[in-house]
Amino acid sequence: MGKALIIGCGGVASVAIHKCCQNSEVFEEICIASRTKSKCDALKEKLAPTTKTKITTAQVDANNVEELIALIEKEKPGVVLNLALPYQDLTIMDACLATKTHYVDTANYEPEDTAKFEYSWQWAYRERFEKAGITALLGSGFDPGVTGVFCAYALKHEFDEINYIDILDCNGGDHGYPFATNFNPEINIREVSAKGSYWEDGHWVETEPMEIKRVYNFEGVGEKDMYLLHHEEIESLALNMPGIKRIRFFMTFGQSYLTHLKCLENVGMTSIEPIMYEGKEIVPLQFLKAVLPDPSTLGPRTKGKTNIGCIFQGKKDGEEKTYYLYNICDHQESYREVGSQAVAYTTGVPAMIGAMMVLTGTWNKPGVHNIEEFDPDPFMDALNTWGLPWKENRHPVLVD
């Protein structure tokens, strides 16, 4: 069917690449490119004997537009799947524009020197992508990603109008470390340390970090503390969900994680401001990332499940209605299948599906688009096919 260029070779990329190789009818060829080519080569060596997909590798600096353009022109992929760092979204989008190549990512852009992430930088590319006749699909992970597809599906099939959405992200896994992050530590800690916010009655309401706490009983996991965070899909859903009155995002955290994070914050280790150390400039958060366990190594030791989904309140045929769409993913089952824990799995699988939607032309809409702007049905079917089956509850417990 076609070829994908996959930029990045971390935990999420590894899952997406595994899934592309399982889906060789669509992904006849993939090129894995990263700053560290040896990581790409190692993954190719592992997967090549097990798949019909042709795998090639390349070295590229995702911060360098000219290098990216040269690689895209050499490989001529049908789609570029960006699984690098969010700091690199814009350079990769620039390269896709220059080569008129479709683009897919899993997380919105944020500047490396500012702990702020929003879609304005990428939405600024809308007209240029439309004029180039190519599609940019933003946020094809789980949250953002599947959560947006869940919203579009609920609006299409279950509601005439959705008024309230609560997105709940629960990781019930235990990796045995006193403190570790399940995805890139730098991105994770920046996200958690930032002020929270939610959308209500047409405007943002800002909260202090971890100020709002709720307790929820998650199927497959049990009762967990969860905290309101700012999350990027709120921004796009606020525009794309007609009739919406409020959108909130909650994520679970254990007490050990929170205690360690607070201590690290208190001593300045989560700062992104450069400091001088022995005559060299270092960023404390980047140093912390270097000494924490690599998330890609957590798979063998992580037990438990994730439960991620959306609770909706709205109206159908004039009647008030509630509805809950969610997925439960087992860490050990994920590791047995692809060698990664469930947090990487739940992001990597939708990344492959999004690339498949664009590569096959199933989702073909020139311009820059968030995932909920497309017909959700083929993506929902693919979730069931490729390892993230969804569940529904028509009488959920609501979050107060």
Side-chain angles (χ1 to χ4, degrees):
M1 178 74 69
K3 178 178 182 178
L5 169 60
I6 301 171
I7 301 177
C9 199
V12 170
S14 176
V15 175
I17 292 161
H18 273 82
K19 286 295 181 177
C20 287
C21 290
Q22 292 177 13
N23 191 3
S24 57
E25 288 187 7
V26 169
F27 296 95
E28 294 175 327
E29 186 174 350
I30 60 173
C31 175
I32 312 167
S34 172
R35 186 188 300 270
T36 308
K37 186 173 180 291
S38 58
K39 293 172 65 176
C40 306
D41 293 336
L43 193 54
K44 172 186 175 179
E45 185 176 347
K46 176 182 177 182
L47 290 174
T50 70
T51 181
K52 295 180 180 178
T53 299
K54 179 183 176 182
I55 305 172
T56 58
T57 65
Q59 191 279 332
V60 72
D61 178 359
N63 292 310
N64 188 314
V65 177
E66 294 306 316
E67 278 192 29
L68 290 164
I69 290 172
L71 178 61
I72 295 171
E73 289 179 339
K74 175 177 180 288
E75 297 295 333
K76 295 180 171 53
V79 64
V80 171
L81 177 54
N82 170 17
L83 298 176
L85 294 172
Y87 317 140
Q88 297 160 331
D89 288 359
L90 301 189
T91 54
I92 299 174
M93 290 181 76
D94 285 336
C96 286
L97 264 178
T99 57
K100 294 189 176 182
T101 308
H102 298 306
Y103 169 89
V104 177
D105 69 26
T106 62
N108 70 354
Y109 173 75
E110 59 178 289
E112 191 167 6
D113 58 356
T114 307
K116 180 180 181 180
F117 50 100
E118 60 184 41
Y119 277 118
S120 60
W121 288 286
Q122 292 178 275
W123 286 348
Y125 282 71
R126 282 171 167 165
E127 186 176 348
R128 282 175 284 169
F129 267 75
E130 188 173 353
K131 285 183 176 179
I134 54 176
T135 300
L137 174 63
L138 306 184
S140 188
F142 204 108
D143 45 349
V146 175
T147 51
V149 176
F150 281 175
C151 291
Y153 180 87
L155 184 62
K156 180 178 179 179
H157 294 286
E158 299 291 336
F159 291 90
D160 297 323
E161 181 180 287
I162 296 174
N163 304 128
Y164 300 94
I165 303 172
D166 279 329
I167 303 168
L168 310 186
D169 183 328
C170 170
N171 177 18
D174 181 5
H175 46 57
Y177 286 115
F179 184 80
T181 62
N182 289 288
F183 58 94
N184 185 295
E186 192 174 348
I187 303 303
N188 176 271
I189 292 172
R190 283 167 62 124
E191 180 178 301
V192 174
S193 302
K195 288 183 181 292
S197 65
Y198 59 96
W199 182 263
E200 187 167 42
D201 296 330
H203 67 277
W204 289 101
V205 179
E206 190 172 87
T207 69
E208 291 303 310
M210 316 301 270
E211 176 186 352
I212 297 177
K213 172 187 172 183
R214 297 290 186 268
V215 179
Y216 200 81
N217 191 2
F218 292 89
E219 180 186 344
V221 176
E223 198 171 84
K224 290 287 183 180
D225 294 340
M226 61 183 190
Y227 297 83
L228 186 143
L229 303 181
H230 172 77
H231 225 246
E232 59 244 63
E233 66 260 52
I234 298 176
E235 187 181 2
S236 64
L237 291 172
L239 292 179
N240 294 320
M241 291 290 110
I244 197 70
K245 296 179 179 179
R246 187 186 69 201
I247 312 172
R248 301 182 296 184
F249 180 96
F250 292 90
M251 183 176 285
T252 63
F253 296 96
Q255 193 54 54
S256 177
Y257 178 95
L258 295 177
T259 299
H260 280 80
L261 181 61
K262 190 63 178 177
C263 291
L264 291 166
E265 287 177 340
N266 288 343
V267 299
M269 285 303 301
T270 63
S271 172
I272 62 172
E273 295 298 325
I275 63 170
M276 294 302 296
Y277 175 73
E278 294 187 346
K280 296 180 180 179
E281 190 177 81
I282 66 168
V283 174
L285 181 53
Q286 293 177 356
F287 177 80
L288 177 61
K289 173 184 175 181
V291 300
L292 287 175
D294 183 339
S296 66
T297 67
L298 298 179
R301 54 188 296 147
T302 304
K303 300 178 181 179
K305 298 177 181 179
T306 63
N307 182 321
I308 315 173
C310 303
I311 299 176
F312 304 98
Q313 300 176 68
K315 297 180 180 68
K316 179 69 174 179
D317 300 327
E319 299 290 327
E320 296 289 335
K321 177 178 179 177
T322 60
Y323 181 62
Y324 187 13
L325 264 176
Y326 59 102
N327 164 265
I328 297 174
C329 189
D330 187 279
H331 283 285
Q332 290 185 301
E333 289 180 6
S334 299
Y335 183 74
R336 281 193 291 269
E337 182 189 346
V338 298
S340 297
Q341 36 82 4
V343 174
Y345 191 91
T346 54
T347 306
V349 173
M352 180 279 288
I353 295 173
M356 177 176 69
M357 294 293 107
V358 174
L359 185 61
T360 60
T362 305
W363 286 355
N364 184 2
K365 190 188 297 184
V368 176
H369 302 281
N370 293 87
I371 200 166
E372 67 271 10
E373 298 177 51
F374 295 90
D375 179 8
D377 291 352
F379 200 105
M380 292 288 281
D381 290 341
L383 288 171
N384 288 330
T385 300
W386 296 106
L388 291 177
W390 45 275
K391 306 181 75 171
E392 53 189 352
N393 181 345
R394 298 186 179 277
H395 304 284
V397 175
L398 301 179
V399 179
D400 61 22

